[in-house]
Amino acid sequence: MALSTSSVITLKINGEKHTLPVDHRTTLLDALRERLDLTGTKKGCDQGQCGACTVLLDGRRAVACLQLAVAAEGREITTIEGVADGERLHPVQQAFLDLDGFQCGYCTPGQICSAIGMIQEHAAGWPSAVTEDVRPQAGPPPLTADEIRERMSGNLCRCGAYVAIVEAVARAAEDHAGEGHGDAASDEAKEAVI
């Protein structure tokens, strides 16, 4: 008896349910772009190295090119199309616009989704590879330019807009902290030069 190589799945994307048949080998990226016409999530390297396809799965960052669509069933998927609140941009989107955190814009959706997840990870006290005091009781480390660079290192910008990206993430993190979600970004990060 031959086993089926496809399934009908239901994906919850940006608060809406989408039911579709997929081959078991279909990546979440291909399901989003080719089956659901959610083309804000970009295909860059298709190997999980550039971050252009970053989305949020249950609020955590994930590269959609390495995630199978069938494995995303039952999870809350947020793409760049779903981060704004109606006509009101997400604070990360607004910071990228205000501070020119992009040039060609191709990597921007992944950068924004990654920054949203990164800010939440930082506020929750997750250390990075450059965090000096990783003890849980130390709390979130100061969100310096080095912390932002390390935490965003999985997202590449071929145009080299990194200086403005770090500034935009620092501003959005400060706005997030101002809403009672964690520590404010440091002045060092806001004035960062890569």
Side-chain angles (χ1 to χ4, degrees):
M1 178 188 333
L3 296 175
S4 174
T5 60
S6 64
S7 297
V8 175
I9 62 172
T10 300
L11 298 175
K12 188 174 181 188
I13 305 166
N14 302 325
E16 295 182 22
K17 290 187 177 183
H18 301 270
T19 301
L20 64 154
V22 294
D23 182 288
H24 293 160
R25 299 166 292 183
T26 302
T27 64
L28 178 58
L29 174 61
D30 288 338
L32 292 170
R33 292 184 57 80
E34 297 172 13
R35 304 295 305 284
L36 299 170
D37 204 28
L38 292 168
T39 56
T41 304
K42 303 300 185 203
K43 185 177 273 200
C45 67
D46 217 14
Q47 299 176 6
Q49 296 180 359
C50 74
C53 66
T54 304
V55 297
L56 299 171
L57 287 179
D58 297 329
R60 294 188 59 190
R61 302 183 277 177
V63 284
C65 70
L66 297 182
Q67 175 75 39
L68 293 175
V70 294
E73 189 170 28
R75 300 181 72 185
E76 182 68 40
I77 303 162
T78 305
T79 68
I80 191 65
E81 292 90 348
V83 300
D85 183 11
E87 295 296 314
R88 184 173 160 249
L89 294 178
H90 188 282
V92 174
Q93 290 175 303
Q94 191 62 57
F96 267 70
L97 280 173
D98 293 346
L99 298 169
D100 295 323
F102 54 90
Q103 286 184 33
C104 80
Y106 193 82
C107 73
T108 305
Q111 296 274 2
I112 288 171
C113 285
S114 186
I116 291 168
M118 186 233 40
I119 290 168
Q120 293 170 352
E121 292 165 8
H122 174 262
W126 295 13
S128 78
V130 298
T131 302
E132 290 185 25
D133 189 350
V134 298
R135 295 173 301 140
Q137 62 269 31
L143 194 54
T144 64
D146 286 342
E147 280 284 345
I148 293 171
R149 285 188 207 108
E150 174 60 30
R151 291 168 185 269
M152 293 292 294
S153 65
N155 291 79
L156 303 179
C157 174
R158 288 173 175 88
C159 297
Y162 295 115
V163 172
I165 289 169
V166 170
E167 291 171 353
V169 172
R171 177 181 289 177
E174 186 175 73
D175 291 347
H176 187 262
E179 296 171 0
H181 298 291
D183 290 337
S186 71
D187 289 335
E188 177 189 338
K190 289 183 273 182
E191 298 172 3
V193 178
I194 292 183

